[in-house]
Amino acid sequence: MHATCPKREGTWLRFIPHRTRHSPIAIDLGGHSVKLLQLGPDRCSITAAAAMPVAPEATLTPSNYLDWLEDVLPGFITDSGATGRRVKVALPSAWTTAQQLQLDAEESAIASEVAPMHLPPMDEQPMTRVLQVGPAAMQEGQGEHTEFICLAFPRRHVFRLVELFHRHHYEVLDLQTQFSASVAPFLHRQSCPSEQSDSPTPEATLFVDLGSGGVLASITNGMNLVQARRIATGERNPDINEDDRLDMIIDELGMALRHDASHFPDRRVERIVFIGGGAHSDHACRQIVERLHLPGQRGDPLAALGRPIDPDSPLKQDAGPRPGWSAAAGLVSIPMNKEGTRDAA
């Protein structure tokens, strides 16, 4: 076991990889499908890619999802053709609670300990990761405050997931949220000779992840995540028609932009990048762009990578942009630190 148990809220699992010639295997645990991606030694070409749909019963609870993974994940990895025993994993988005917080100077000094107290009630004991955004815009006389993002996950299920991989002799190098993983391929561009990516990400970008179980809105300022929102109006919800669903999404995105403008008055969000499987919907993307009055584009997280020639690959060369692969592509693009480790984020 390479994971060390956290001693308090805000302290995370730490993973220590061994040196090996195999690139890590990226596994995106999505709500609609599980995706696998592995790069070659040059880190510019895809050598293994696979996807499988999530069984309907697995989406009911985290325990159901983990039971299903226990049955199918080992065979899925083996059949994918991926090599090596090291994995990097994106947690299911439904496991993540994201909360923007403004803390005073005294609380800011111990933000990792204080932030979990501001979370909404949760069914499970949470693990937390606290990211500092910067000075908060407050009304005169309220004193100095700092804004943070608190990301929380069910501790019991995260540990069970890590144990599942260890039981099948896989070493977990990194755990990431869908928020962090899905924006990473646009922030950490691969330096590959064949790269034909679009222009570099502007200073401030709104990433809209149109997933099957809900919508994730992430705003980045340069290389930093400064806002994270989960909009729980999934495409599978039978009680909401498409127009009403879009209205709810656009209202939430508008609030995210207004919050960002109050926090960063000297710059504005410059564009929207659509990711996730729902990014293929021209109607949804067009409505969001027109009503938020911002230019937008469908993200291509694999633009810098050489795709497989195999016509049976889910990422064959002529398949066009694959915004639904953003989290998997992000996992392989996030650099490890000098010690060869990553903290879950």
Side-chain angles (χ1 to χ4, degrees):
M1 296 282 286
H2 296 284
T4 58
C5 297
K7 298 179 181 178
R8 66 173 190 271
E9 301 299 343
T11 304
W12 275 79
L13 298 172
R14 198 164 186 82
F15 306 101
I16 305 175
H18 299 303
R19 295 181 181 275
T20 177
R21 62 186 178 84
H22 300 294
S23 297
I25 304 167
I27 301 177
D28 171 19
L29 300 178
H32 181 262
S33 66
V34 173
K35 298 181 179 68
L36 177 150
L37 191 65
Q38 187 175 37
L39 303 184
D42 61 357
R43 291 185 53 81
C44 292
S45 56
I46 297 171
T47 57
M52 66 173 173
V54 174
E57 63 273 14
T59 64
L60 299 176
T61 68
S63 292
N64 285 18
Y65 193 97
L66 287 163
D67 289 342
W68 174 76
L69 282 180
E70 183 75 59
D71 291 337
V72 302
L73 191 61
F76 172 66
I77 298 176
T78 300
D79 294 344
S80 72
T83 55
R85 313 299 298 183
R86 304 183 306 159
V87 298
K88 301 172 74 174
V89 181
L91 298 172
S93 64
W95 291 16
T96 304
T97 298
Q99 184 81 31
Q100 302 284 139
L101 303 171
Q102 291 81 39
L103 304 178
D104 61 26
E106 182 178 352
E107 291 179 320
S108 295
I110 52 172
S112 293
E113 299 175 20
V114 172
M117 302 177 187
H118 294 265
L119 291 169
M122 302 179 69
D123 294 334
E124 296 281 343
Q125 182 184 13
M127 301 176 69
T128 57
R129 172 68 168 170
V130 180
L131 309 176
Q132 182 171 331
V133 175
M138 306 297 294
Q139 294 182 357
E140 186 175 353
Q142 291 188 346
E144 295 184 358
H145 285 66
T146 303
E147 177 148 335
F148 296 86
I149 302 172
C150 184
L151 302 171
F153 321 88
R155 177 190 297 269
R156 178 167 63 96
H157 301 312
V158 171
F159 272 84
R160 184 181 165 191
L161 176 65
V162 173
E163 290 169 0
L164 188 159
F165 279 103
H166 286 168
R167 213 164 35 248
H168 294 283
H169 310 292
Y170 288 98
E171 183 178 23
V172 181
L173 303 185
D174 192 12
L175 291 175
Q176 292 285 334
T177 68
Q178 294 287 330
F179 287 107
S180 299
S182 62
V183 305
F186 306 96
L187 305 180
H188 303 282
R189 285 292 191 183
Q190 304 287 341
S191 298
C192 300
S194 61
E195 181 172 355
Q196 297 179 349
S197 63
D198 50 12
S199 59
T201 302
E203 181 183 5
T205 301
L206 169 61
F207 290 90
V208 180
D209 187 341
L210 298 170
S212 61
V215 175
L216 303 183
S218 306
I219 295 181
T220 58
N221 190 32
M223 300 288 288
N224 300 317
L225 180 67
V226 296
Q227 192 173 164
R229 288 178 181 242
R230 177 176 170 79
I231 306 172
T233 56
E235 292 176 351
R236 292 178 176 176
N237 190 334
D239 300 322
I240 301 178
N241 65 44
E242 183 63 16
D243 289 337
D244 290 339
R245 177 176 177 273
L246 273 173
D247 286 341
M248 296 173 66
I249 292 170
I250 293 169
D251 286 345
E252 289 278 352
L253 295 177
M255 286 191 286
L257 290 172
R258 289 190 293 274
H259 180 86
D260 183 78
S262 69
H263 194 77
F264 297 100
D266 297 330
R267 66 104 175 103
R268 66 187 297 271
V269 170
E270 298 180 36
R271 69 169 179 176
I272 303 172
V273 174
F274 294 101
I275 52 181
H280 288 290
S281 170
D282 292 336
H283 173 70
C285 295
R286 187 180 302 111
Q287 287 291 311
I288 293 171
V289 164
E290 290 177 354
R291 291 174 59 180
L292 295 181
H293 308 291
L294 283 173
Q297 65 185 79
R298 183 176 294 121
D300 187 0
L302 306 173
L305 303 174
R307 297 195 188 184
I309 299 175
D310 182 0
D312 295 327
S313 170
L315 299 178
K316 57 186 178 182
Q317 290 180 335
D318 60 351
R322 287 302 183 91
W325 284 74
S326 293
L331 290 172
V332 299
S333 66
I334 295 174
M336 308 299 279
N337 64 25
K338 292 181 180 179
E339 289 76 30
T341 63
R342 288 285 302 180
D343 289 321

